[in-house]
Amino acid sequence: MRIVLTEEMFQQVFDELKEIKTGMATKDDIRNMATKDDIRNMATKDDIRNMATKDDIKNMATKDDIRNMATKDDIRNMATKDDIRNMATKDDIRNMATKDDIQRLEEKIDRNSDKIDLNYKQIVNNSEELNTLTTSSKRQERAMETLALRSIEQETELRDSHLK
């Protein structure tokens, strides 16, 4: 294989050689340079050809984009389609009791509770009076029984005295 150098190519090579000569490394420079082993581990042109370009990367998500994305745990805790199907609709909510409705019910319950307490106290008083009346009624019944027996005894004594 034969290589043909044009004058322009030759001039370019010559300029580069001059530049190399002026910038030649010293032994100290060479000690710090990469070795063949270092270079063997470096990427080749073929490796680089298959890498993503700036254009490929510019539309990719950033770390901030990914940080702000939902996690599996976030998604696991989200409502399912079935959950949403079973949720109240706007119409359902429109027909629900408001805070004011609940407040009015609580106030009504409080008023009714007061009335119930008064009624309970009255029932207790009535019960006590009923017990008193019952006790009194039983005493009166016994007194009536006693009087009835005495009346019968007196009648019997009167008959016996008339018969004699």
Side-chain angles (χ1 to χ4, degrees):
M1 175 169 170
R2 195 169 193 203
I3 299 176
V4 177
L5 288 175
T6 66
E7 189 173 322
E8 187 178 288
M9 289 171 59
F10 179 76
Q11 186 60 43
Q12 186 180 355
V13 169
F14 182 72
D15 290 342
E16 286 180 21
L17 283 173
K18 271 203 274 183
E19 198 175 304
I20 290 171
K21 185 179 176 189
T22 57
M24 279 189 114
T26 64
K27 285 182 180 180
D28 288 337
D29 293 336
I30 292 172
R31 272 190 215 103
N32 295 325
M33 291 179 73
T35 65
K36 287 182 182 180
D37 288 336
D38 294 332
I39 292 171
R40 254 187 234 110
N41 293 327
M42 292 179 72
T44 65
K45 287 182 181 181
D46 290 336
D47 294 333
I48 293 172
R49 261 187 227 108
N50 293 326
M51 290 180 70
T53 65
K54 287 182 180 179
D55 288 336
D56 295 332
I57 294 173
K58 79 176 170 192
N59 293 323
M60 291 180 72
T62 65
K63 286 182 181 181
D64 287 337
D65 294 333
I66 291 172
R67 254 185 242 110
N68 293 326
M69 290 177 72
T71 65
K72 287 181 181 180
D73 288 335
D74 295 332
I75 292 171
R76 205 174 292 122
N77 294 326
M78 289 177 74
T80 65
K81 288 181 181 180
D82 288 337
D83 294 334
I84 291 171
R85 266 188 228 106
N86 294 326
M87 289 177 76
T89 64
K90 287 181 181 179
D91 289 336
D92 295 333
I93 292 172
R94 237 179 259 118
N95 296 325
M96 290 177 77
T98 64
K99 286 182 180 180
D100 290 338
D101 294 336
I102 292 170
Q103 182 66 38
R104 280 192 298 275
L105 285 173
E106 286 176 347
E107 289 169 3
K108 191 172 184 178
I109 287 170
D110 288 344
R111 283 192 307 272
N112 287 341
S113 291
D114 292 343
K115 288 178 184 177
I116 289 170
D117 288 344
L118 285 172
N119 287 341
Y120 179 76
K121 288 176 184 174
Q122 186 62 47
I123 289 170
V124 168
N125 286 339
N126 290 347
S127 260
E128 289 171 357
E129 285 184 34
L130 185 59
N131 285 339
T132 303
L133 288 173
T134 302
T135 303
S136 177
S137 174
K138 285 181 183 176
R139 266 189 258 134
Q140 284 179 351
E141 281 179 19
R142 279 182 273 174
M144 293 285 281
E145 285 175 8
T146 304
L147 289 174
L149 286 174
R150 284 186 188 163
S151 172
I152 292 171
E153 285 174 4
Q154 286 176 355
E155 241 180 72
T156 306
E157 284 178 13
L158 279 174
R159 268 195 211 141
D160 283 347
S161 68
H162 280 324
L163 290 175
K164 289 193 187 178

